[in-house]
Amino acid sequence: MKAIRRPMFWYGLAMWLVSIVIASLLIQLGGLIMSDVPTAGKLVTQEEFVDTERLNAVETEIDALEASLRANQNDLEDARFRLDSRTLDYQNQRANFENWIKTRSATRSDAQNPEVIERVQAIELLKLEERKAQRVIEELQQTRTEQTRALQDLRAQRQDIRADAIAPYEQARNLEVLKVFALRLALTLPLLLISAWLILKKRGSSYWPVYRSFIIFSLFAFFVELVPYLPSYGGYVRYGVGIALALLVAHFAIKGMTRYLQNKKTEEQRPENEKRQLIEYETAVKKISGGICPSCDRQFGPKQPRGRDSQPEAHQDYCVHCGFCLFSRCSSCGTRENSFYKYCGACGVPSDNDALQATA
């Protein structure tokens, strides 16, 4: 059976909504504050550590060589066109000459000897022009090869200049990340400490829903605003922080469980009337209905299925582990009932649990 009153249930749900709303507003406000934190949004760049004077000089030479290569390509294309033209003229002139020689051989006219010499000279002149055109292309190709090699050397120098900036950049980057992390830690750590204090000291306060919203906000700030900025020097810091947090959680969990068991052991040695004064009414009713002893938190009987308003076996009136009285009899009608009930569920008269508490 449910021991919590319906208004209490709706009140608790409404307070959770209030906690979430307040936490969301705090998160948005924290985001604005973090965005205005110095260096939070601007990190160093590798360009800041490059020797710009050397780089600009190399870039100027690269631009000039690339322009020269483009001009060389244009000249090379023009020279190849001229070579093709000279080769075609030579081939045509030579073909005409060979045909003319065949005609002359047929006629055997000595008067044509001067013309033979003239035609041979013309062919030789065309061949010379073709050779000059080839030589121009060879010179342009040689120049292009030299410029290409020079361009490769300059690009290698540019790469070396940028590579020289990597080491100081990485060092400055690590320092900047550490600085941002330290700044965020300085803002987040007080929130975590306050939250821990609220959990330890204000858990049962009437303003706990408000404190709970602050705790949600601080956890969000830790996991979203701080953890992603953990420095990572090869993963050592991240793994180290993770191990430290895990050990810390394990330490407090073990200490808490040890303290809890010790307190339970001490409580079991107290008189039953003192135990009853320390147990909240609604908690006791709920636990007994679920087959759990409210004194030692052990299972004293089988847990009943949901939806059934039944009780454990009739003969289990006391906890088999600590002897705590779980069920009593109504002095008016004799009905067996939860020992924490204030009124008998069968006849409605006040129960004798107060007397049981006083005389236990």
Side-chain angles (χ1 to χ4, degrees):
M1 63 181 296
K2 296 293 184 181
I4 301 178
R5 300 183 180 91
R6 189 168 296 276
M8 292 290 292
F9 169 78
W10 291 111
Y11 172 77
L13 181 60
M15 289 299 97
W16 263 108
L17 292 176
V18 169
S19 297
I20 293 174
V21 170
I22 296 176
S24 64
L25 294 175
L26 288 173
I27 288 171
Q28 295 179 28
L29 177 61
L32 292 176
I33 294 175
M34 285 296 184
S35 64
D36 293 334
V37 170
T39 72
K42 180 181 179 299
L43 296 177
V44 294
T45 62
Q46 186 174 340
E47 297 297 328
E48 299 178 18
F49 301 91
V50 174
D51 189 343
T52 54
E53 184 175 351
R54 285 181 57 200
L55 183 62
N56 291 336
V58 171
E59 291 284 2
T60 301
E61 293 184 28
I62 289 175
D63 293 339
L65 272 178
E66 288 177 346
S68 179
L69 280 172
R70 288 192 295 269
N72 178 275
Q73 180 65 29
N74 295 332
D75 294 340
L76 193 57
E77 291 174 357
D78 294 339
R80 284 172 178 167
F81 176 77
R82 287 193 296 270
L83 175 60
D84 293 340
S85 178
R86 299 293 185 271
T87 301
L88 184 60
D89 290 343
Y90 168 75
Q91 291 175 351
N92 290 335
Q93 186 69 20
R94 184 177 180 81
N96 292 334
F97 174 75
E98 290 177 353
N99 292 333
W100 180 81
I101 286 295
K102 292 178 181 178
T103 303
R104 179 181 178 280
S105 298
T107 58
R108 296 184 180 275
S109 174
D110 295 335
Q112 292 179 336
N113 288 336
E115 186 176 356
V116 171
I117 296 173
E118 182 180 353
R119 285 176 178 267
V120 170
Q121 290 177 347
I123 292 173
E124 291 177 351
L125 182 61
L126 289 175
K127 187 63 177 177
L128 182 60
E129 292 294 329
E130 181 185 26
R131 182 57 188 158
K132 288 181 179 180
Q134 288 178 341
R135 195 172 291 113
V136 170
I137 291 177
E138 292 172 357
E139 292 175 355
L140 289 173
Q141 289 177 337
Q142 179 65 28
T143 302
R144 183 175 184 82
T145 301
E146 294 174 355
Q147 291 177 342
T148 301
R149 291 174 180 173
L151 183 61
Q152 291 175 350
D153 293 340
L154 288 173
R155 286 174 177 171
Q157 291 181 26
R158 180 175 62 184
Q159 187 174 359
D160 292 340
I161 292 173
R162 293 187 179 278
D164 293 339
I166 293 178
Y169 161 71
E170 290 293 340
Q171 183 179 2
R173 167 73 173 173
N174 292 334
L175 290 176
E176 186 69 16
V177 170
L178 188 61
K179 178 181 177 182
V180 172
F181 173 73
L183 193 57
R184 288 176 176 266
L185 180 63
L187 296 175
T188 306
L189 186 59
L191 301 180
L192 296 175
L193 295 177
I194 294 173
S195 297
W197 181 80
L198 291 175
I199 293 174
L200 294 175
K201 300 296 184 181
K202 300 295 183 179
R203 186 71 179 271
S205 172
S206 300
Y207 290 92
W208 172 247
V210 178
Y211 301 147
R212 182 171 55 200
S213 63
F214 184 85
I215 294 171
I216 295 173
F217 160 66
S218 64
L219 291 176
F220 178 88
F222 175 75
F223 286 105
V224 177
E225 299 293 349
L226 181 63
V227 171
Y229 289 87
L230 273 174
S232 179
Y233 301 106
Y236 298 123
V237 174
R238 289 181 182 272
Y239 291 135
V241 171
I243 292 172
L245 290 177
L247 292 176
L248 192 64
V249 170
H251 169 75
F252 283 107
I254 294 172
K255 295 286 288 186
M257 180 55 67
T258 303
R259 192 182 305 110
Y260 167 79
L261 294 176
Q262 183 63 36
N263 291 337
K264 283 298 178 182
K265 185 177 180 180
T266 303
E267 289 177 5
E268 290 179 3
Q269 298 174 356
R270 294 179 179 177
E272 186 163 325
N273 59 338
E274 292 185 11
K275 296 180 185 179
R276 288 181 173 274
Q277 292 176 358
L278 296 175
I279 301 174
E280 294 182 359
Y281 167 75
E282 293 178 350
T283 301
V285 172
K286 185 176 180 180
K287 286 186 175 182
I288 293 176
S289 299
I292 302 295
C293 175
S295 175
C296 65
D297 285 338
R298 295 188 181 98
Q299 188 88 28
F300 67 85
K303 189 175 182 180
Q304 300 301 314
R306 293 185 179 181
R308 293 181 57 189
D309 189 15
S310 58
Q311 298 176 345
E313 298 178 11
H315 66 274
Q316 288 185 279
D317 291 339
Y318 293 87
C319 177
V320 298
H321 305 289
C322 66
F324 189 80
C325 181
L326 304 170
F327 295 93
S328 60
R329 300 279 177 178
C330 175
S331 60
S332 177
C333 65
T335 302
R336 181 174 180 269
E337 60 185 4
N338 190 312
S339 65
F340 279 83
Y341 283 173
K342 297 181 179 180
Y343 294 88
C344 177
C347 63
V349 301
S351 66
D352 296 332
N353 291 335
D354 292 338
L356 175 66
Q357 178 173 320
T359 59

